[in-house]
């Protein structure tokens, strides 16, 4: 496997300057396909958080960002989209090098990130308020105003795209930002910072800090000058974010984990359901919060469906993610690889049947990276660990069901509620299930998709708030109510009191 080492020197972005960490420390970042170091990045700490928050505060309070017209903000955001498209191939390679996703998926992520900036550029002039009829001679209206400084903390599974989902709507609404990428995947977020500067987004509006979550993430979440926190990551870290931000009553939005069901009824187009279900679990090596990790098969099609599904899953080409022919890359880190393997061990010990994979590939070259074969467990019970906890790897649990009520009960029986897929050609059943399943994102006869136009987020412990679409503007603005007295008569409450009763 070819090794590429980036020779570029990466810096934090604070107040429009590319700077080292205050401590001068750096940390290595790796290629998950080889576990070789590909770059060193600054290891920010609390002092850097203070500097970045101060820069974001100044840029928000003193401008010029807040004073720009929506159209001027939009122009700069469109420029970000343009540069992302101009540099698509280079950024996609960097993404693959740092997070291991196959190059075709990285190209799609860069294109989707550009689309996200364009989409929100188009919404900058749409922060509409309301006029509200009132009793008496009062005129009432609302305006939507940005929160101010937004702390944004993102995970490693879609490093650039998660940054775009957070930065673009926050900018459209006129906020300033301190963004912290995941420690495992700092590179493309730093590149996005450079692009924002090149696109003439004023100094201090976008600040980017790389460093450990427990220190940098926590310092952002606690900081009294940060008005809002947007976090994507594990549910457990989300709980910690809520605790840390409680001290200053921050506005918080959370996009957390999932254990999403994928339900196949006998009346579906079964070939399409097989193909869609493969996509729903094995893309990004299963490291998708919306991965459909529990495949519910109706008992009448269970065996036939599985034999086709397993045959196709067994042919997925695992290998060098930079090669166009490769269909699945490694998981993010040695640690994650060990974690996934321990879930596999646990599933076996709890009695699930290993029908495919379950180990690292034998190939000597692949042994150096964090590769795991596509893995399928059958005869899974919905209460087993493998069906309840988020694995975040290429591991699927297959569970048979008898009827609609039983499958709805099992589908809903987790702490999560992020997404679900239903394969059926029965129109009534499709919509009935869409209503009965407690999840924020349902797809019918389609594996999973998150375009910028549609809201995205979780029920239950999968999150708080909705990203993407117009709904994301609600996450980054607050409503101010203004009441205006239009009466000719002078207001005088106490002057109206009957004489002698004052
Ligand atoms: P993680 O929770 O470990 O880390 C997420 C981010 O939080 C990282 O930047 C990390 O450095 C930071 N962090 C860690 N500890 C922190 C702390 N104590 N205080 C503040 N920040 C801290 O998650 P991950 O392993 O990077 O990502 C995988 C998880 O993300 C999965 O659970 C997945 O389901 C979830 N995810 C959810 C969505 C969604 O939209 N619902 C999308 C992608 C990923």
């Amino acid at each position: 496997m070819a090794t590429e080492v980036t020779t570029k020197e990466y810096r934090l972005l604070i107040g429009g300057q590319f700077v080292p960490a205050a401590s001068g420390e750096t940390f290595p970042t790796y290629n998950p396909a080889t576990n070789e170091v590909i770059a060193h990045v600054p290891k920010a700490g609390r002092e850097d958080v203070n500097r970045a928050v101060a820069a974001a505060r100044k840029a928000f309070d003193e401008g010029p960002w807040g004073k720009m017209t929506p159209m001027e903000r939009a122009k700069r955001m469109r420029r970000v989209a343009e540069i992302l498209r101009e540099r698509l191939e280079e950024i996609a390679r960097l993404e693959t090098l740092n997070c291991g996703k196959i190059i075709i998926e990285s190209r799609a992520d860069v294109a989707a990130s550009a689309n996200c900036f364009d989409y929100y550029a188009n919404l900058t002039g749409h922060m509409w308020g309301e006029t509200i009829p009132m009793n008496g001679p009062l005129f009432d209206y609302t305006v939507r105003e940005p929160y101010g400084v937004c702390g944004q903390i993102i995970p490693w599974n879609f490093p650039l795209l998660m940054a775009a989902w957070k930065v673009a709507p926050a900018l459209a609404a006129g906020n300033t930002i301190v963004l912290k990428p995941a420690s495992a995947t700092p590179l493309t977020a730093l590149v996005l910072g450079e692009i924002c500067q090149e696109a003439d987004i004023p100094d201090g509006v976008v600040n980017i800090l790389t460093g450990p979550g427990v220190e940098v993430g926590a310092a952002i979440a606690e900081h009294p000058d940060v008005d809002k926190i947007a976090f994507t990551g594990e549910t457990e870290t989300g709980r910690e974010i809520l605790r840390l931000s409680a001290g200053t009553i921050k506005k918080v939005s959370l996009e957390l984990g999932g254990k999403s069901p994928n339900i196949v009824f006998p009346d579906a187009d079964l070939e399409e359901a097989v193909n869609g279900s493969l996509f729903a679990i094995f893309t990004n090596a299963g490291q998708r919060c919306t991965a459909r990790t529990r495949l519910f098969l109706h008992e009448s099609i269970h065996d036939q469906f599985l034999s086709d599904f397993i045959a196709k899953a067994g042919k997925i080409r695992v290998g060098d993610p930079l090669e166009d022919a490769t269909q699945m890359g490694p998981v993010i880190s040695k640690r994650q690889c060990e974690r996934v393997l321990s879930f596999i061990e646990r599933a076996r010990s709890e009695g699930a049947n290993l029908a495919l994979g379950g180990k690292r590939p034998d190939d000597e070259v692949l042994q150096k990276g964090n590769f795991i074969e596509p893995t399928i467990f059958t005869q899974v019970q919905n209460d087993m660990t493998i069906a309840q906890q988020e694995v975040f790897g290429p591991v699927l649990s297959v569970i048979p069901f008898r009827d609609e009520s039983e499958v709805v009960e099992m589908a809903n029986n987790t702490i999560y509620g992020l997404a679900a897929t239903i394969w059926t050609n029965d129109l009534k059943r499709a919509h009935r299930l869409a209503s009965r399943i407690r999840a924020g994102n349902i797809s019918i006869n389609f594996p999973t998709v998150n375009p910028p136009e549609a809201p995205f987020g979780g029920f239950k412990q999968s999150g708080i708030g909705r990203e993407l679409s117009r709904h994301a503007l609600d996450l980054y603005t607050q409503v101010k109510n203004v009441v205006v007295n239009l009466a000719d008569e002078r207001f005088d409450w106490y002057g109206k009191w009957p004489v002698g009763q004052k």
Side-chain angles (χ1 to χ4, degrees):
M1 212 170 297
T3 301
E4 284 183 38
V5 177
T6 58
T7 45
K8 186 173 154 162
E9 235 181 84
Y10 288 91
R11 302 276 182 174
L12 307 175
L13 174 58
I14 300 179
Q17 305 295 312
F18 295 100
V19 295
S23 66
E25 283 184 65
T26 61
F27 65 99
T29 188
Y30 301 88
N31 175 357
T34 60
N35 282 313
E36 287 165 319
V37 173
I38 50 169
H40 286 86
V41 295
K43 186 175 175 190
R46 284 196 177 255
E47 200 181 326
D48 301 291
V49 173
N50 290 339
R51 286 197 292 162
V53 172
R57 187 83 259 161
K58 185 164 186 280
F60 183 78
D61 291 343
E62 296 171 22
W65 190 237
K67 297 187 188 88
M68 269 183 200
T69 63
M71 264 195 210
E72 285 173 321
R73 284 207 303 274
K75 210 167 101 188
R76 287 161 173 78
M77 292 177 63
R78 283 199 193 93
R79 183 73 192 122
V80 172
E82 252 171 46
I83 302 172
L84 282 169
R85 290 193 187 100
E86 285 160 16
R87 294 177 58 182
L88 186 143
E89 192 57 31
E90 167 217 335
I91 298 172
R93 283 184 78 80
L94 189 64
E95 191 79 316
T96 288
L97 206 58
N98 199 195
C99 83
K101 69 173 61 191
I102 58 172
I103 187 71
I104 289 169
E105 291 181 21
S106 290
R107 287 184 190 123
D109 284 3
V110 182
S113 302
N115 290 347
C116 186
F117 275 91
D118 270 342
Y119 176 80
Y120 283 105
N122 290 339
L123 290 188
T124 51
H126 288 239
M127 245 67 68
W128 295 342
E130 305 142 305
T131 55
I132 302 174
M134 301 280 272
N135 284 331
L138 296 179
F139 173 61
D140 194 276
Y141 64 93
T142 63
V143 282
R144 303 206 69 97
E145 294 190 353
Y147 277 116
V149 177
C150 298
Q152 304 185 320
I153 303 171
I154 56 172
W156 43 257
N157 58 343
F158 290 84
L160 180 71
L161 189 61
M162 290 299 105
W165 282 20
K166 297 231 175 327
V167 172
L171 289 183
N175 296 280
T176 60
I177 290 161
V178 178
L179 174 78
K180 193 202 93 64
S183 306
T185 53
L187 300 185
T188 49
L190 291 172
V191 169
L192 180 64
E194 293 166 13
I195 292 174
C196 288
Q197 290 301 119
E198 194 186 331
D200 268 345
I201 291 181
D203 292 352
V205 173
V206 176
N207 302 276
I208 306 203
L209 300 178
T210 50
V214 284
E215 192 179 346
V216 177
I220 294 172
E222 285 176 329
H223 204 291
D225 260 344
V226 172
D227 301 289
K228 189 227 148 66
I229 291 286
F231 169 80
T232 297
E234 283 184 29
T235 294
E236 192 46 49
T237 321
R239 289 190 192 102
E240 181 63 11
I241 295 284
L242 281 178
R243 280 190 284 268
L244 291 166
S245 53
T248 44
I249 314 289
K250 288 191 177 42
K251 316 303 175 241
V252 179
S253 52
L254 303 173
E255 297 289 351
L256 308 175
K259 199 71 204 174
S260 300
N262 182 36
I263 305 170
V264 186
F265 286 94
D267 59 47
D269 176 335
L270 294 179
E271 195 182 333
E272 191 179 28
V274 165
N275 295 335
S277 303
L278 289 166
F279 180 95
I281 178 64
F282 293 123
T283 44
N284 206 18
Q287 302 165 112
R288 246 179 211 280
C289 52
T290 54
R292 295 342 190 226
T293 47
R294 294 180 298 151
L295 174 60
F296 291 98
L297 297 177
H298 188 267
E299 57 186 8
S300 67
I301 49 136
H302 180 271
D303 294 354
Q304 183 56 50
F305 187 99
L306 261 189
S307 91
D308 294 350
F309 185 84
I310 292 172
K312 285 191 173 174
K315 289 191 188 134
I316 291 175
R317 286 187 296 275
V318 179
D320 182 351
L322 282 170
E323 295 272 332
D324 275 334
T326 300
Q327 294 173 315
M328 201 174 94
V331 297
I332 188 71
S333 61
K334 273 188 183 162
R335 195 166 142 240
Q336 183 66 6
C337 188
E338 279 154 21
R339 186 168 174 264
V340 174
L341 292 171
S342 77
F343 270 113
I344 291 173
E345 254 334 286
R346 180 120 183 228
R348 293 173 85 156
S349 71
E350 288 182 16
N353 172 56
L354 181 65
L356 185 75
K359 59 178 181 58
R360 294 157 53 71
D362 299 326
D363 183 297
E364 232 174 73
V365 178
L366 299 190
Q367 286 276 329
K368 296 195 174 115
N370 312 313
F371 295 89
I372 298 174
E373 292 176 348
T375 296
I376 300 173
F377 280 103
T378 58
Q379 295 165 30
V380 174
Q381 306 284 333
N382 197 47
D383 58 359
M384 287 179 180
T385 308
I386 197 75
Q388 289 294 321
Q389 290 190 20
E390 196 181 34
V391 176
F392 236 56
V395 182
L396 177 71
S397 299
V398 184
I399 305 173
F401 70 93
R402 277 188 306 277
D403 58 36
E404 213 175 287
S405 290
E406 187 193 31
V407 79
V408 167
E409 201 277 319
M410 288 195 286
N412 284 337
N413 194 1
T414 86
I415 61 163
Y416 299 110
L418 191 57
T421 297
I422 303 153
W423 300 93
T424 179
N425 276 320
D426 177 338
L427 190 67
K428 288 185 180 175
R429 168 184 278 155
H431 291 289
R432 213 163 42 230
L433 259 79
S435 149
R436 291 179 71 191
I437 290 177
R438 307 228 333 115
N441 291 79
I442 310 277
S443 54
I444 296 168
N445 296 331
F446 200 78
T448 169
V449 66
N450 298 108
E453 297 86 353
F456 176 72
F459 278 32
K460 301 196 273 182
Q461 295 187 35
S462 286
I464 300 176
R466 293 294 174 270
E467 291 200 307
L468 299 181
S469 75
R470 294 182 59 91
H471 290 264
L473 298 178
D474 293 343
L475 297 185
Y476 290 104
T477 53
Q478 51 194 336
V479 173
K480 179 180 277 176
N481 190 74
V482 182
V483 65
V484 189
N485 181 7
L486 302 180
D488 283 337
E489 196 188 328
R490 181 173 289 135
F491 180 85
D492 182 11
W493 175 257
Y494 292 103
K496 280 185 178 167
W497 240 260
V499 178
Q501 291 187 18
K502 277 190 182 176

Short mmCIF file of all heavy atoms in Angstrom, two decimals, residues 390-424:
data_model
loop_
_atom_site.label_atom_id
_atom_site.label_comp_id
_atom_site.label_asym_id
_atom_site.label_seq_id
_atom_site.Cartn_x
_atom_site.Cartn_y
_atom_site.Cartn_z
N GLU A 390 -23.81 0.53 20.29
CA GLU A 390 -23.27 1.01 19.03
C GLU A 390 -21.86 0.46 18.84
O GLU A 390 -20.98 0.73 19.64
CB GLU A 390 -23.25 2.54 19.05
CG GLU A 390 -23.10 3.12 17.69
CD GLU A 390 -23.06 4.64 17.70
OE1 GLU A 390 -22.52 5.22 18.66
OE2 GLU A 390 -23.54 5.23 16.73
N VAL A 391 -21.65 -0.32 17.75
CA VAL A 391 -20.35 -0.95 17.51
C VAL A 391 -19.43 0.00 16.74
O VAL A 391 -18.25 0.10 16.99
CB VAL A 391 -20.54 -2.27 16.73
CG1 VAL A 391 -19.19 -2.89 16.38
CG2 VAL A 391 -21.40 -3.24 17.54
N PHE A 392 -19.99 0.68 15.76
CA PHE A 392 -19.24 1.59 14.89
C PHE A 392 -18.14 0.85 14.14
O PHE A 392 -16.96 1.19 14.18
CB PHE A 392 -18.68 2.75 15.69
CG PHE A 392 -19.14 4.06 15.11
CD1 PHE A 392 -20.50 4.32 14.95
CD2 PHE A 392 -18.24 5.02 14.69
CE1 PHE A 392 -20.94 5.50 14.39
CE2 PHE A 392 -18.67 6.22 14.13
CZ PHE A 392 -20.02 6.46 13.98
N GLY A 393 -18.56 -0.18 13.42
CA GLY A 393 -17.68 -0.98 12.57
C GLY A 393 -18.56 -1.78 11.62
O GLY A 393 -19.79 -1.73 11.72
N PRO A 394 -17.94 -2.57 10.72
CA PRO A 394 -18.72 -3.28 9.69
C PRO A 394 -19.37 -4.55 10.23
O PRO A 394 -19.04 -5.66 9.77
CB PRO A 394 -17.66 -3.58 8.63
CG PRO A 394 -16.40 -3.72 9.41
CD PRO A 394 -16.49 -2.79 10.57
N VAL A 395 -20.25 -4.41 11.18
CA VAL A 395 -20.83 -5.57 11.86
C VAL A 395 -22.35 -5.46 11.87
O VAL A 395 -22.90 -4.48 12.37
CB VAL A 395 -20.31 -5.66 13.32
CG1 VAL A 395 -20.87 -6.90 13.99
CG2 VAL A 395 -18.79 -5.68 13.35
N LEU A 396 -23.01 -6.47 11.31
CA LEU A 396 -24.47 -6.46 11.19
C LEU A 396 -25.10 -7.56 12.05
O LEU A 396 -24.61 -8.68 12.09
CB LEU A 396 -24.84 -6.69 9.71
CG LEU A 396 -26.34 -6.77 9.42
CD1 LEU A 396 -26.98 -5.40 9.56
CD2 LEU A 396 -26.57 -7.32 8.01
N SER A 397 -26.23 -7.23 12.68
CA SER A 397 -27.01 -8.23 13.42
C SER A 397 -28.28 -8.52 12.63
O SER A 397 -29.02 -7.59 12.29
CB SER A 397 -27.43 -7.67 14.78
OG SER A 397 -26.29 -7.37 15.53
N VAL A 398 -28.55 -9.79 12.36
CA VAL A 398 -29.77 -10.16 11.63
C VAL A 398 -30.76 -10.81 12.60
O VAL A 398 -30.41 -11.71 13.35
CB VAL A 398 -29.45 -11.14 10.48
CG1 VAL A 398 -30.72 -11.44 9.67
CG2 VAL A 398 -28.37 -10.57 9.58
N ILE A 399 -31.99 -10.30 12.55
CA ILE A 399 -33.02 -10.74 13.50
C ILE A 399 -34.30 -11.06 12.72
O ILE A 399 -34.79 -10.19 11.99
CB ILE A 399 -33.31 -9.61 14.53
CG1 ILE A 399 -32.00 -9.19 15.23
CG2 ILE A 399 -34.36 -10.06 15.55
CD1 ILE A 399 -32.12 -7.97 16.13
N PRO A 400 -34.83 -12.27 12.85
CA PRO A 400 -36.09 -12.58 12.14
C PRO A 400 -37.31 -12.00 12.86
O PRO A 400 -37.25 -11.77 14.06
CB PRO A 400 -36.13 -14.11 12.15
CG PRO A 400 -35.25 -14.52 13.27
CD PRO A 400 -34.30 -13.41 13.60
N PHE A 401 -38.40 -11.77 12.11
CA PHE A 401 -39.64 -11.33 12.77
C PHE A 401 -40.85 -12.00 12.10
O PHE A 401 -40.78 -12.42 10.94
CB PHE A 401 -39.78 -9.81 12.76
CG PHE A 401 -40.05 -9.20 11.41
CD1 PHE A 401 -41.35 -8.96 10.97
CD2 PHE A 401 -39.00 -8.83 10.57
CE1 PHE A 401 -41.61 -8.36 9.74
CE2 PHE A 401 -39.25 -8.24 9.33
CZ PHE A 401 -40.54 -8.01 8.92
N ARG A 402 -41.95 -12.06 12.87
CA ARG A 402 -43.17 -12.73 12.39
C ARG A 402 -44.18 -11.74 11.79
O ARG A 402 -44.74 -11.98 10.76
CB ARG A 402 -43.86 -13.45 13.55
CG ARG A 402 -43.30 -14.83 13.86
CD ARG A 402 -44.19 -15.53 14.89
NE ARG A 402 -44.37 -14.72 16.10
CZ ARG A 402 -43.48 -14.69 17.11
NH1 ARG A 402 -42.36 -15.40 17.05
NH2 ARG A 402 -43.71 -13.95 18.17
N ASP A 403 -44.39 -10.61 12.48
CA ASP A 403 -45.39 -9.67 11.99
C ASP A 403 -45.01 -8.23 12.34
O ASP A 403 -44.02 -7.98 13.03
CB ASP A 403 -46.79 -10.02 12.54
CG ASP A 403 -46.79 -10.03 14.06
OD1 ASP A 403 -46.07 -9.19 14.65
OD2 ASP A 403 -47.49 -10.87 14.67
N GLU A 404 -45.85 -7.35 11.83
CA GLU A 404 -45.57 -5.91 11.93
C GLU A 404 -45.41 -5.44 13.39
O GLU A 404 -44.48 -4.71 13.72
CB GLU A 404 -46.75 -5.18 11.30
CG GLU A 404 -46.39 -3.91 10.62
CD GLU A 404 -47.61 -3.33 9.91
OE1 GLU A 404 -48.02 -3.88 8.87
OE2 GLU A 404 -48.14 -2.32 10.41
N SER A 405 -46.33 -5.89 14.25
CA SER A 405 -46.28 -5.42 15.64
C SER A 405 -45.00 -5.86 16.32
O SER A 405 -44.36 -5.08 17.04
CB SER A 405 -47.46 -5.96 16.45
OG SER A 405 -48.60 -5.35 15.99
N GLU A 406 -44.62 -7.11 16.06
CA GLU A 406 -43.41 -7.62 16.69
C GLU A 406 -42.19 -6.81 16.23
O GLU A 406 -41.33 -6.43 17.03
CB GLU A 406 -43.21 -9.10 16.35
CG GLU A 406 -42.05 -9.69 17.13
CD GLU A 406 -41.61 -11.07 16.62
OE1 GLU A 406 -41.73 -11.32 15.41
OE2 GLU A 406 -41.11 -11.86 17.42
N VAL A 407 -42.12 -6.53 14.93
CA VAL A 407 -40.93 -5.83 14.44
C VAL A 407 -40.89 -4.37 14.91
O VAL A 407 -39.82 -3.84 15.22
CB VAL A 407 -40.78 -5.97 12.90
CG1 VAL A 407 -41.68 -5.02 12.12
CG2 VAL A 407 -39.33 -5.75 12.51
N VAL A 408 -42.05 -3.75 15.02
CA VAL A 408 -42.08 -2.36 15.52
C VAL A 408 -41.59 -2.35 16.97
O VAL A 408 -40.78 -1.50 17.37
CB VAL A 408 -43.50 -1.76 15.41
CG1 VAL A 408 -43.60 -0.46 16.20
CG2 VAL A 408 -43.85 -1.51 13.95
N GLU A 409 -42.05 -3.33 17.73
CA GLU A 409 -41.66 -3.39 19.15
C GLU A 409 -40.14 -3.54 19.27
O GLU A 409 -39.48 -2.83 20.03
CB GLU A 409 -42.42 -4.55 19.80
CG GLU A 409 -42.55 -4.49 21.30
CD GLU A 409 -41.32 -5.04 22.02
OE1 GLU A 409 -40.78 -6.07 21.58
OE2 GLU A 409 -40.90 -4.42 23.01
N MET A 410 -39.57 -4.46 18.47
CA MET A 410 -38.12 -4.69 18.54
C MET A 410 -37.35 -3.47 17.99
O MET A 410 -36.35 -3.05 18.57
CB MET A 410 -37.73 -5.95 17.77
CG MET A 410 -38.17 -7.23 18.45
SD MET A 410 -37.35 -8.69 17.77
CE MET A 410 -38.19 -8.91 16.21
N ALA A 411 -37.84 -2.91 16.89
CA ALA A 411 -37.14 -1.76 16.28
C ALA A 411 -37.03 -0.62 17.28
O ALA A 411 -35.99 0.04 17.38
CB ALA A 411 -37.88 -1.31 15.02
N ASN A 412 -38.10 -0.42 18.05
CA ASN A 412 -38.12 0.71 18.99
C ASN A 412 -37.42 0.41 20.32
O ASN A 412 -37.19 1.32 21.11
CB ASN A 412 -39.57 1.12 19.30
CG ASN A 412 -40.18 1.89 18.14
OD1 ASN A 412 -39.46 2.49 17.33
ND2 ASN A 412 -41.50 1.88 18.04
N ASN A 413 -37.10 -0.85 20.51
CA ASN A 413 -36.57 -1.26 21.81
C ASN A 413 -35.06 -1.04 21.93
O ASN A 413 -34.28 -1.99 22.02
CB ASN A 413 -36.96 -2.71 22.08
CG ASN A 413 -36.75 -3.08 23.53
OD1 ASN A 413 -36.34 -2.24 24.33
ND2 ASN A 413 -37.02 -4.32 23.87
N THR A 414 -34.64 0.22 21.90
CA THR A 414 -33.24 0.60 22.18
C THR A 414 -33.29 2.01 22.78
O THR A 414 -34.33 2.67 22.70
CB THR A 414 -32.32 0.69 20.91
OG1 THR A 414 -32.45 1.98 20.33
CG2 THR A 414 -32.67 -0.35 19.89
N ILE A 415 -32.15 2.46 23.30
CA ILE A 415 -32.14 3.82 23.86
C ILE A 415 -32.07 4.86 22.73
O ILE A 415 -32.25 6.05 22.95
CB ILE A 415 -30.96 4.05 24.83
CG1 ILE A 415 -29.61 3.87 24.12
CG2 ILE A 415 -31.09 3.15 26.05
CD1 ILE A 415 -28.43 4.46 24.89
N TYR A 416 -31.76 4.37 21.51
CA TYR A 416 -31.55 5.30 20.38
C TYR A 416 -32.81 5.49 19.55
O TYR A 416 -33.75 4.70 19.64
CB TYR A 416 -30.44 4.75 19.48
CG TYR A 416 -29.12 4.60 20.17
CD1 TYR A 416 -28.60 3.33 20.45
CD2 TYR A 416 -28.38 5.71 20.56
CE1 TYR A 416 -27.37 3.18 21.09
CE2 TYR A 416 -27.15 5.57 21.20
CZ TYR A 416 -26.66 4.30 21.47
OH TYR A 416 -25.45 4.16 22.09
N GLY A 417 -32.79 6.51 18.70
CA GLY A 417 -33.89 6.74 17.77
C GLY A 417 -33.43 7.64 16.64
O GLY A 417 -34.02 8.67 16.38
N LEU A 418 -32.34 7.21 15.98
CA LEU A 418 -31.79 8.11 14.96
C LEU A 418 -32.44 7.89 13.59
O LEU A 418 -32.87 8.84 12.95
CB LEU A 418 -30.27 7.93 14.87
CG LEU A 418 -29.54 8.97 14.04
CD1 LEU A 418 -29.82 10.38 14.54
CD2 LEU A 418 -28.04 8.72 14.05
N ALA A 419 -32.48 6.63 13.12
CA ALA A 419 -32.95 6.41 11.75
C ALA A 419 -33.55 5.01 11.61
O ALA A 419 -33.42 4.18 12.52
CB ALA A 419 -31.78 6.57 10.79
N ALA A 420 -34.22 4.77 10.49
CA ALA A 420 -34.78 3.44 10.20
C ALA A 420 -35.07 3.35 8.71
O ALA A 420 -35.38 4.36 8.07
CB ALA A 420 -36.06 3.21 10.99
N THR A 421 -34.98 2.14 8.18
CA THR A 421 -35.36 1.90 6.79
C THR A 421 -36.43 0.82 6.74
O THR A 421 -36.38 -0.15 7.51
CB THR A 421 -34.14 1.45 5.96
OG1 THR A 421 -33.19 2.50 5.95
CG2 THR A 421 -34.53 1.13 4.52
N ILE A 422 -37.40 1.02 5.84
CA ILE A 422 -38.48 0.04 5.66
C ILE A 422 -38.52 -0.34 4.18
O ILE A 422 -38.61 0.54 3.31
CB ILE A 422 -39.84 0.67 6.06
CG1 ILE A 422 -39.79 1.19 7.50
CG2 ILE A 422 -40.97 -0.34 5.88
CD1 ILE A 422 -40.74 2.34 7.76
N TRP A 423 -38.41 -1.64 3.91
CA TRP A 423 -38.50 -2.13 2.53
C TRP A 423 -39.84 -2.81 2.37
O TRP A 423 -40.08 -3.87 2.94
CB TRP A 423 -37.36 -3.11 2.22
CG TRP A 423 -35.99 -2.50 2.37
CD1 TRP A 423 -35.21 -2.54 3.49
CD2 TRP A 423 -35.26 -1.78 1.39
NE1 TRP A 423 -34.03 -1.87 3.26
CE2 TRP A 423 -34.02 -1.40 1.97
CE3 TRP A 423 -35.50 -1.41 0.06
CZ2 TRP A 423 -33.05 -0.68 1.29
CZ3 TRP A 423 -34.52 -0.69 -0.62
CH2 TRP A 423 -33.32 -0.33 -0.02
N THR A 424 -40.74 -2.19 1.60
CA THR A 424 -42.06 -2.78 1.34
C THR A 424 -42.67 -2.06 0.15
O THR A 424 -42.37 -0.88 -0.09
CB THR A 424 -43.00 -2.63 2.56
OG1 THR A 424 -44.27 -3.21 2.24
CG2 THR A 424 -43.23 -1.18 2.96
#
